[in-house]
Amino acid sequence: MNTVIKRSGLALAIAGICLTAGTASASSHREAPFITEVPKVDGTDFYMFRSYESGRENFVTLIANYLPLQDAYGGPNYFDLDEDAIYEIHIDNSGNAQEDITFRFQMQDVLNDIQLDVGGEMVSVPLKNIGDATDNANVQMRQEYTVTVIRGDRRTGTKQVATNATTGMETFAKPLDNIGGKSFGDYEAYADQHIFDVAIPGCGTEGRVFVGQRKEAFAVNLGEIFDLVNTNPVGPRNGEGAGDLADKNITSFALEVPTTCLTGTAQTASGDPVIGGWTTASVRQARVINPAPAANGKGATVEGGAYAQVSRLGMPLVNEVVIGLKDKDGFNASEPKDDGQFLTYVTNPTLPELLEALFGVTAPNNFPRNDLITAFLTGVPDLNGPDGVTASEMLRLNPNIATTAPGAQNDLGVLGGDNAGFPNGRRPVDDTVDISLRVAMGVLADPADAPNGDLEYTDGVQLDPTELRTTFPYLATPIAGSPNDI
């Protein structure tokens, strides 16, 4: 980047946002002490971007990922979600740091007790399926879900249920995880049958929805990163191999919504609409372990009470490498309107100091980092920062910015001259790792504060964009649990 761009207001704004993002590209995997105990509700990544599938430019795609680090072979139960939890995507389109629209997903288990005649006794089988898994008659346990649209406060607002635009049903089927080639002759075709047209109340034009397993899109060596960044920070961008997540799957909630259904009063100075978004997951406050679970409806636990939020994710990596360890559970339970309590982590970030100590380079030291406050908490001026916004942490998108075709997308986003990418929303291809490393070490700072800021820092792992789909739900078909083709 040239000096003029580096010193511009836009670049300085990006610095604020990206600095808080941290150094690892796995955005929120096991980032807080409590969430390690309930991985089914661990929100890992949130994408929000103007749809770039041909003919879908008037839609915004929202993708919320949960349940990290899935080994594809993890049977026999694999990675069903928690039917006692609620998974939510929140939209702030007024700039007041409170949700105006919430899309709530709730799962429901569907049990089909399959039994075999063994010596005259009917005996339940131990496997997920006993034949072709595309036939529900051969499947013991699968899941369905509902989508509820809440306008206003998520707890007290008006609730309406979205429906399948083809059948009128209020429930949608989640595909089984990719068990392997003997259970699924063509898993991709099977999963695509679970992409549904959805009638979203108050939106008019139909959207699309998909909930199911996908291949993890992030490329990073988690072990090396958390071993005090045990890698070459100035080596080639793809010099560290495929990354620790190359053989992992994830579970995605993907929703494509008409843009006009999401926009509101929040606008940039030039009049472009701005959408703010973040994800949460909540579980019941009370959980009692059943000492004698049985198949007669008495499960391993009994859940009750009000829902308590245990996961939150907007911008990538905030809780993972920005929020102090003692406050990580608190951040997961918090709401954007209360983000003032975490202000010190922005004005006096520890990450640059840690990198300075590890590599002997000089990080920006103009404390407090007042230059970052406005950008980090309000969006990028003239790009996706609405006028009069309440300072808060969330992902923000200007849907008026034209899409970039998949083959031309720059994984450095705005830093690479591609304004359709991070931090103007976030696409699966966007490499928040390299962006964050360079910004944290001062690529956008005054050279007097960051004499090593022009180095091209990297984690050495780069996603191959050809792995991604160019159509909804954009993330790739998950890795099969069995590599054998039968």
Side-chain angles (χ1 to χ4, degrees):
M1 297 181 64
N2 60 49
T3 302
V4 175
I5 295 177
K6 284 169 57 180
R7 305 298 178 247
S8 70
L10 175 61
L12 185 59
I14 297 168
I17 291 179
C18 294
L19 178 60
T20 61
T23 61
S25 72
S27 292
S28 190
H29 298 69
R30 296 172 53 84
E31 86 292 339
F34 178 73
I35 207 67
T36 64
E37 302 177 26
V38 282
K40 288 187 176 185
V41 288
D42 185 357
T44 64
D45 289 291
F46 177 46
Y47 306 95
M48 179 170 66
F49 54 93
R50 185 173 176 178
S51 299
Y52 48 84
E53 178 181 342
S54 178
R56 308 296 290 187
E57 295 81 5
N58 293 327
F59 292 80
V60 169
T61 295
L62 310 167
I63 304 175
N65 284 351
Y66 290 88
L67 217 174
L69 306 175
Q70 296 179 16
D71 290 316
Y73 51 79
N77 292 298
Y78 296 94
F79 302 97
D80 288 340
L81 296 166
D82 188 348
E83 69 169 347
D84 291 312
I86 54 176
Y87 301 84
E88 296 178 319
I89 300 174
H90 307 282
I91 299 296
D92 170 18
N93 60 24
S94 59
N96 66 353
Q98 300 179 53
E99 64 274 8
D100 296 294
I101 307 172
T102 293
F103 300 100
R104 174 178 294 174
F105 297 80
Q106 289 183 273
M107 312 304 299
Q108 180 179 356
D109 294 341
V110 180
L111 176 63
N112 174 31
D113 182 24
I114 299 177
Q115 299 180 342
L116 298 179
D117 185 339
V118 183
E121 294 285 344
M122 297 304 294
V123 183
S124 298
V125 302
L127 304 180
K128 190 91 169 183
N129 60 296
I130 62 167
D132 178 6
T134 66
D135 183 350
N136 286 340
N138 294 329
V139 177
Q140 286 217 89
M141 176 70 77
R142 59 187 178 87
Q143 290 192 305
E144 297 178 341
Y145 62 94
T146 58
V147 183
T148 302
V149 182
I150 306 171
R151 299 187 184 275
D153 184 274
R154 72 179 89 169
R155 299 170 184 85
T156 61
T158 302
K159 298 178 176 65
Q160 296 176 287
V161 179
T163 58
N164 185 313
T166 302
T167 67
M169 299 289 290
E170 294 183 350
T171 58
F172 301 85
K174 173 184 176 292
L176 296 184
D177 294 338
N178 194 355
I179 297 169
K182 194 169 184 178
S183 294
F184 297 101
D186 185 345
Y187 185 86
E188 182 173 13
Y190 161 76
D192 283 352
Q193 293 174 0
H194 295 79
I195 298 173
F196 301 104
D197 292 331
V198 57
I200 303 172
C203 288
T205 304
E206 297 169 0
R208 290 185 290 185
V209 66
F210 171 85
V211 175
Q213 191 179 51
R214 296 282 90 188
K215 185 180 185 298
E216 174 66 81
F218 271 108
V220 65
N221 283 325
L222 285 178
E224 287 79 354
I225 289 295
F226 291 114
D227 183 24
L228 302 179
V229 195
N230 187 9
T231 185
N232 180 4
V234 291
R237 291 189 67 193
N238 59 356
E240 295 290 332
D244 292 338
L245 302 186
D247 61 350
K248 306 298 181 185
N249 291 328
I250 200 75
T251 300
S252 298
F253 292 78
L255 185 65
E256 189 182 57
V257 185
T259 302
T260 54
C261 187
L262 296 177
T263 55
T265 58
Q267 296 181 338
T268 65
S270 60
D272 287 343
V274 176
I275 303 164
W278 69 100
T279 72
T280 62
S282 303
V283 297
R284 294 290 190 181
Q285 289 183 354
R287 172 175 293 177
V288 178
I289 304 299
N290 185 353
N296 59 0
K298 298 179 180 179
T301 65
V302 178
E303 316 275 341
Y307 283 105
Q309 181 181 308
V310 295
S311 179
R312 170 188 169 188
L313 182 64
M315 281 284 179
L317 300 164
V318 170
N319 204 13
E320 197 163 46
V321 295
V322 176
I323 303 298
L325 182 61
K326 69 181 181 64
D327 287 326
K328 289 181 181 292
D329 286 336
F331 181 86
N332 265 348
S334 69
E335 299 180 40
K337 64 183 179 64
D338 300 318
D339 280 348
Q341 63 186 307
F342 305 114
L343 183 61
T344 300
Y345 291 119
V346 181
T347 61
N348 298 74
T350 59
L351 176 61
E353 305 307 305
L354 291 172
L355 295 177
E356 181 176 279
L358 289 170
F359 297 112
V361 293
T362 302
N365 288 298
N366 50 324
F367 300 118
R369 298 295 299 272
N370 290 322
D371 56 315
L372 306 181
I373 296 174
T374 300
F376 169 56
L377 298 176
T378 61
V380 179
D382 300 321
L383 181 67
N384 63 351
D387 283 353
V389 66
T390 299
S392 57
E393 188 277 307
M394 64 180 70
L395 200 60
R396 290 182 172 88
L397 172 69
N398 177 348
N400 277 8
I401 300 295
T403 62
T404 303
Q409 292 175 0
N410 190 307
D411 65 356
L412 294 178
V414 177
L415 284 181
D418 185 355
N419 284 351
F422 183 78
N424 182 36
R426 187 180 172 201
R427 304 165 303 191
V429 74
D430 292 333
D431 190 344
T432 57
V433 179
D434 286 5
I435 296 170
S436 303
L437 276 172
R438 296 177 190 194
V439 172
M441 297 313 297
V443 67
L444 305 176
D446 187 325
D449 293 323
N452 301 126
D454 287 334
L455 294 177
E456 295 183 352
Y457 294 95
T458 179
D459 68 335
V461 181
Q462 188 176 20
L463 178 70
D464 179 358
T466 63
E467 290 186 12
L468 300 170
R469 291 169 56 125
T470 59
T471 59
F472 183 84
Y474 296 98
L475 301 183
T477 299
I479 298 167
S482 166
N484 298 330
D485 292 326
I486 302 298

